Amino acid sequence: MGVLMSRRQTVERVQKVSLAVSAFKDGLREQPSTRRRGEAGTSRRGTLEQEVQEGEEEAASAGPSQPEESSASAKAAWERLRDGRGVEPEEFERANRFTPPAFIRPKRELHDDEPPDISLEQREQIVNDEMCEICEVWTAESLFPCRICPRVYHDGCLRRMGYLQKDSTVEVTETAHTETGWSCYYCDNLNLLLTEEEMYSLMETLKNCKIIPGTCLTLDDFLHYKHLVHKQQFEKPMAEAQEEQAALQFNALDHDKKGHIEWQDFLSHESIQLLQKLRPQNALLRLLTPKERERARAAFLALDQDNDGFIGEGECRQARHTWFRKHQKEMLSCNVSISHVGPISEGSPASSRNGKSPEKILPATKQEEPRTIDWPGFLRENVVYILAARPNSAALHLQPPA
């Protein structure tokens, strides 16, 4: 075991020790103030200052007022957003729970904007980690791989972390070893792709628009937010066509048609929108993992029927919808492949848009196919949709154009 443990990075060990110390300190602070007063009761307390202090402690132990509770809850929500934590230990029973890891936001490098060398001919070997990311123990077939990164996990470890609840355990066990795949809690959270500066920019926008972290948004809330953001950025009202596009995006996020979108889906949508706005395509390409690049190669080669290294513009647009097919529950079999780019199904967003059928859309698409796209162009035009397809949620966090 000592040999296996030595493979982990030293910085991760330091983080775990720091988390344990912080948890111990939090436990000491959570001890009732009455106990502290009882232990100090052996000494005489006759001064007015001590009596006032005791009165303040009793008032604090009785519980904060409603405004203070609301303020503390909002502050905690902003802290979770800043730190990239989607699940808090306080939301679960502390017994038999692991402490969630401390997320470290990425930093931009000087060469990020330079075009990366991603060859079409040179395939990449996909190798998963050998040990569970959480407990660092190897148990072969009991490990569930992430479809985005090389990390692997035990389902029991994920439950103790609080990342598997109710039906999500079945989802992991049924999809992790299929073409559909499952994203771990690192890759499932698109917000973790943002740097500290980008996250600060997003938080300022949310605060200015009165968006409270952790809340669901209705269509009116979503459109009101989009109107405010557009006016702040361009100093003019949003056009009617842009409002219709925002409504379509809301429908794509509200996959269950509940009339509202979940906070995590909204946060993922805003995170990928910010990445698309602030980073050039070359920087986004550097975010792709080997597994994602291999799926992109398979998709391009499937479309390049004559093997000349070019595909049509319509086929490239069609591929954008393919990245999201794996989230449809009726397609959770191992026969589903991200490289399958057949006709768009009737249940896809493109087919339901404006009430048009695929048969009516495809002829118009063929008339607009004078442009051909090579492999680098295919990657550049699809990279943001590949990244947006990372979360396990069935929501479309970036609605592809028809």
Side-chain angles (χ1 to χ4, degrees):
M1 181 59 68
V3 176
L4 293 176
M5 293 289 287
S6 63
R7 296 187 57 195
R8 312 302 303 173
Q9 297 179 358
T10 304
V11 63
E12 295 181 356
R13 296 177 181 273
V14 174
Q15 289 179 356
K16 291 179 180 179
V17 173
S18 299
L19 289 171
V21 173
S22 299
F24 177 73
K25 291 181 178 179
D26 291 341
L28 291 179
R29 285 196 294 266
E30 291 172 0
Q31 291 180 354
S33 57
T34 55
R35 179 180 176 183
R36 294 196 297 268
R37 294 198 304 273
E39 293 174 350
T42 54
S43 61
R44 290 184 59 88
R45 292 190 178 184
T47 65
L48 178 61
E49 180 180 357
Q50 290 172 335
E51 292 178 0
V52 172
Q53 183 177 359
E54 288 182 5
E56 291 177 350
E57 290 179 351
E58 290 177 357
S61 62
S65 61
Q66 187 67 25
E68 291 175 347
E69 288 180 352
S70 177
S71 176
S73 176
K75 181 180 179 182
W78 285 112
E79 289 178 351
R80 287 197 298 269
L81 178 60
R82 178 197 63 200
D83 298 338
R85 295 174 294 176
V87 179
E88 281 294 280
E90 290 79 9
E91 299 177 11
F92 308 99
E93 297 179 1
R94 288 185 178 272
N96 300 322
R97 292 286 183 187
F98 290 150
T99 301
F103 295 116
I104 300 178
R105 291 195 174 276
K107 295 182 179 180
R108 294 291 307 276
E109 303 293 340
L110 294 177
H111 66 280
D112 280 354
D113 296 345
E114 300 176 2
D117 183 16
I118 305 177
S119 172
L120 176 62
E121 294 77 16
Q122 186 176 359
R123 308 297 294 268
E124 300 180 63
Q125 186 178 4
I126 305 300
V127 179
N128 289 322
D129 293 342
E130 296 180 354
M131 296 182 297
C132 174
E133 177 70 16
I134 299 174
C135 69
E136 300 176 339
V137 173
W138 177 80
T139 51
E141 296 180 355
S142 299
L143 293 170
F144 294 94
C146 173
R147 64 180 173 86
I148 305 298
C149 68
R151 301 182 183 95
V152 293
Y153 300 85
H154 294 120
D155 58 339
C157 293
L158 290 170
R159 280 196 298 271
R160 293 186 67 185
M161 290 282 289
Y163 291 114
L164 286 188
Q165 305 176 65
K166 300 178 181 178
D167 298 336
S168 56
T169 302
V170 178
E171 178 184 353
V172 172
T173 55
E174 289 184 351
T175 62
H177 294 288
T178 67
E179 290 288 343
T180 299
W182 162 81
S183 296
C184 69
Y185 52 84
Y186 286 103
C187 302
D188 181 64
N189 190 353
L190 294 178
N191 185 252
L192 295 181
L193 295 176
L194 302 183
T195 63
E196 291 185 2
E197 295 78 11
E198 292 166 342
M199 189 62 232
Y200 177 79
S201 173
L202 178 58
M203 289 177 62
E204 285 297 305
T205 301
L206 296 177
K207 287 181 179 179
N208 293 335
C209 297
K210 310 300 182 183
I211 298 295
I212 302 176
T215 58
C216 298
L217 280 77
T218 64
L219 176 59
D220 290 338
D221 297 332
F222 187 77
L223 292 180
H224 180 67
Y225 167 78
K226 289 295 184 181
H227 274 282
L228 290 177
V229 172
H230 187 274
K231 192 170 184 179
Q232 290 177 3
Q233 182 176 357
F234 300 103
E235 298 183 351
K236 63 179 181 179
M238 181 186 294
E240 184 177 352
Q242 294 171 317
E243 183 175 344
E244 291 179 357
Q245 188 63 36
L248 288 174
Q249 179 61 66
F250 178 88
N251 292 332
L253 291 171
D254 183 21
H255 58 94
D256 290 334
K257 307 306 175 187
K258 296 181 294 186
H260 67 267
I261 55 178
E262 301 295 333
W263 164 253
Q264 193 59 41
D265 289 328
F266 171 75
L267 182 61
S268 294
H269 166 70
E270 289 302 306
S271 299
I272 200 68
Q273 287 273 55
L274 190 62
L275 285 175
Q276 189 178 22
K277 172 185 174 183
L278 298 182
R279 299 197 197 181
Q281 289 176 324
N282 289 333
L284 294 178
L285 286 172
R286 294 185 180 276
L287 298 177
L288 296 179
T289 66
K291 291 183 179 181
E292 290 174 316
R293 293 194 293 266
E294 275 300 293
R295 290 192 185 98
R297 286 189 182 93
F300 185 85
L301 293 174
L303 292 168
D304 185 17
Q305 298 293 333
D306 51 5
N307 297 323
D308 63 348
F310 294 91
I311 63 173
E313 183 179 2
E315 294 173 315
C316 183
R317 287 197 302 264
Q318 191 174 340
R320 295 171 189 167
H321 295 273
T322 308
W323 304 117
F324 302 102
R325 281 194 169 191
K326 57 185 168 297
H327 296 315
Q328 298 180 11
K329 294 183 179 179
E330 65 270 16
M331 295 183 177
L332 293 185
S333 67
C334 59
N335 295 326
V336 179
S337 172
I338 195 66
S339 61
H340 177 72
V341 286
I344 299 176
S345 64
E346 295 182 0
S348 66
S351 63
S352 60
R353 189 175 181 178
N354 297 329
K356 297 180 180 180
S357 63
E359 289 75 12
K360 294 181 180 180
I361 294 177
L362 289 178
T365 303
K366 289 182 179 180
Q367 294 176 3
E368 300 173 359
E369 284 187 11
R371 185 170 67 101
T372 57
I373 299 174
D374 59 3
W375 166 243
F378 175 80
L379 277 182
R380 287 193 301 270
E381 295 190 19
N382 284 280
V383 59
V384 67
Y385 299 102
I386 298 175
L387 294 173
R390 284 186 178 186
N392 293 309
S393 170
L396 299 186
H397 298 102
L398 193 63
Q399 171 74 44

